[in-house]
Amino acid sequence: MAFAIIIAILLIWTFVNRPAQRQEAPEPVVKDTVVEPIEIAEEQHVPVREDTIVIDRRHIRLVLSDYGGSLTSFYLKEYDIDIVPPGRHLFVSTLKDTDGAVVKMSYEINDDSVVFFHGDEKELMKTYRFDDGYGFSLRVAGDTLNHALSLNAGLNITEPKNKSDDLRNFNVYIKNEKIETVTKRIKDSYVYEDDLAWFALRTKYFILIVDHVGGIEKVNFRKFPGEIEEPQTRDASFGCYYMGGAKDRYGAEIFSKTDLDIDVLLLPMDRDHLAKYEKGYEEIASGGFWGPISRVIMAVLNFIHSLIGNYGFAIMIFALLIKLIFFPLSRQMILSQHKMQMVQPELKKIQQKYKNDPQRLNQEMMHLYKTYKVNPLSGCLPLIIQMPIFFALFRTLTTSIEFRQANFIFWITDLSLKDPYYVLPISMGIMMVVQSLTTTIDPRQRLMVIFMPIVMVWIFINLPSGLQLYWFTYNIFTLLEHFITKRGGLK
């Protein structure tokens, strides 16, 4: 029963695991206006020669282009990622009176700003301002403004070694009175015309936030296939993880008829970091139903990491702590399983004797359990109690940015990726076989003893190595636990 419950949990989680969907607000009321989005060709050719300006700040490095006053690079130094797809542009300006064509703009460079302008009379002025934070402010102004700001290139895949898992977490969020995801509303495009405080485009580990200061008339969100250059994004050829989930990326166009003011931030999916802005960004990283438990687990792991400086060893120590905390319950489960195995011969006799009398059968079974002081449910109770921790731990070890590119030892250089040589999941399966062989009495269960570890290895084969390491370590401690309990230790 324990194996069946664990497998059911993992299988269900594998195929339905998505970033937590917040309750969506009712559809905004469509105003009595005709939506006439300015079409921006995604494959529009960039001029062979474009002028670029490099802005280097404490946390970020930007490369601006005179092609629509846009960004060709938005680089986050601490995490070594660029959120702009290669060869593409974000925050591209177009004007309706140019039939949606991207305009080449002149520019001026100041101490803390870059000003792009279009036309002899500077009919359109676009000002980027920078500080030492994680982004910039952008103001677009003009006398007769009918302007679109394009993010149609979408966000870059920042995890090239695990593209499918990265794409599974791409999402679009909007903050008005509350925070909601609008990803499911975007079939091909979705025009949002209600008030909004900010919107955000998310990858697995990073989030691009556009904070609305003023001037946004509407936002047109778009969906397109996740491939940027490579046609293939599915990494796992076997095993049950990374085989499902979305494969789409998302872009946006911001429309304005008056002066436009926005603040733009590129932030890691770190709840504490996001909470510092006090604008509700941290709700995107809330973790859903299991979020509170997940945050406690992460706090413990971070504390251990602060002492030893290695998240791999922190995971192993955490596995030991969990085993020690639940040892009394696990010991009771082991003893209950052993008693149930011992009474199996008598139980079979009763079942055979009263097979045609269900009422008498139940009475005799209850009498047998009472005589030998056996509770059939006590074996599963410890597992049920630990289930919330297991769910939260699964989410923590598979989504937390702390494990991104976190080195352990030897060949495991990134705990957010699977073990490249499959040593951990196979070793885990071997440990499960050894554990089962030392605890199983009924010879008829031998086939299950071999089959179940194979299933578990298949489930874990493509999971992040951080989770594989936890389960491998936990199995070692479980084997020691059985050895101690079998000899009557720690009563």
Side-chain angles (χ1 to χ4, degrees), residues 160-351:
K161 293 182 179 179
N162 203 349
K163 299 172 188 174
S164 294
D165 190 37
D166 199 11
L167 283 170
R168 282 169 8 107
N169 290 276
F170 275 49
N171 259 304
V172 180
Y173 299 83
I174 283 179
K175 170 68 166 67
N176 38 48
E177 294 181 356
K178 61 181 180 179
I179 297 172
E180 55 174 318
T181 57
V182 295
T183 310
K184 291 183 178 180
R185 301 184 193 177
I186 308 171
K187 305 306 179 184
D188 292 310
S189 66
Y190 170 68
V191 178
Y192 188 90
E193 294 189 275
D194 269 14
D195 293 334
L196 68 132
W198 50 262
F199 73 84
L201 304 178
R202 177 197 166 172
T203 70
K204 179 178 181 179
Y205 292 121
F206 303 97
I207 178 170
L208 182 71
I209 299 172
V210 177
D211 201 344
H212 181 202
V213 179
I216 293 181
E217 177 195 4
K218 56 180 175 277
V219 182
N220 184 19
F221 297 102
R222 294 188 174 184
K223 179 174 71 174
F224 41 88
E227 296 85 350
I228 297 176
E229 292 179 351
E230 300 84 351
Q232 183 59 262
T233 60
R234 178 170 291 178
D235 301 291
S237 57
F238 58 95
C240 70
Y241 194 59
Y242 304 147
M243 301 302 282
K247 296 288 184 282
D248 297 312
R249 296 191 303 122
Y250 301 90
E253 292 171 277
I254 303 170
F255 295 93
S256 60
K257 291 184 178 179
T258 59
D259 292 353
L260 174 67
D261 283 290
I262 57 175
D263 292 328
V264 179
L265 292 167
L266 176 57
L267 301 173
M269 286 292 294
D270 181 324
R271 195 174 192 277
D272 292 337
H273 190 160
L274 295 172
K276 293 178 182 178
Y277 293 88
E278 298 181 348
K279 292 189 176 182
Y281 303 152
E282 70 276 8
E283 291 301 315
I284 297 176
S286 66
F289 183 79
W290 305 108
I293 302 176
S294 180
R295 288 193 288 275
V296 172
I297 292 173
M298 198 64 241
V300 174
L301 288 169
N302 281 334
F303 174 74
I304 300 172
H305 177 263
S306 69
L307 299 177
I308 63 177
N310 186 301
Y311 273 114
F313 289 114
I315 290 171
M316 298 179 73
I317 293 173
F318 183 80
L320 175 60
L321 290 175
I322 292 295
K323 182 54 68 177
L324 292 175
I325 291 171
F326 287 101
F327 178 78
L329 287 175
S330 298
R331 182 178 179 277
Q332 181 62 36
M333 181 177 69
I334 294 170
L335 293 175
S336 177
Q337 290 172 345
H338 184 69
K339 289 181 180 179
M340 284 296 296
Q341 290 174 338
M342 295 299 293
V343 301
Q344 282 299 311
E346 292 297 324
L347 186 61
K348 292 292 184 183
K349 292 179 181 179
I350 293 174
Q351 290 173 339

Side-chain angles (χ1 to χ4, degrees), residues 56-73:
D56 202 320
R57 297 294 179 181
R58 179 182 176 185
H59 299 292
I60 62 173
R61 184 171 65 246
L62 303 172
V63 179
L64 307 179
S65 169
D66 61 351
Y67 175 73
S70 59
L71 293 182
T72 65
S73 176

Side-chain angles (χ1 to χ4, degrees), residues 14 31 108 180 233 257 272 394 471:
T14 295
K31 298 178 176 59
E108 296 174 353
E180 55 174 318
T233 60
K257 291 184 178 179
D272 292 337
F394 187 101
W471 202 249

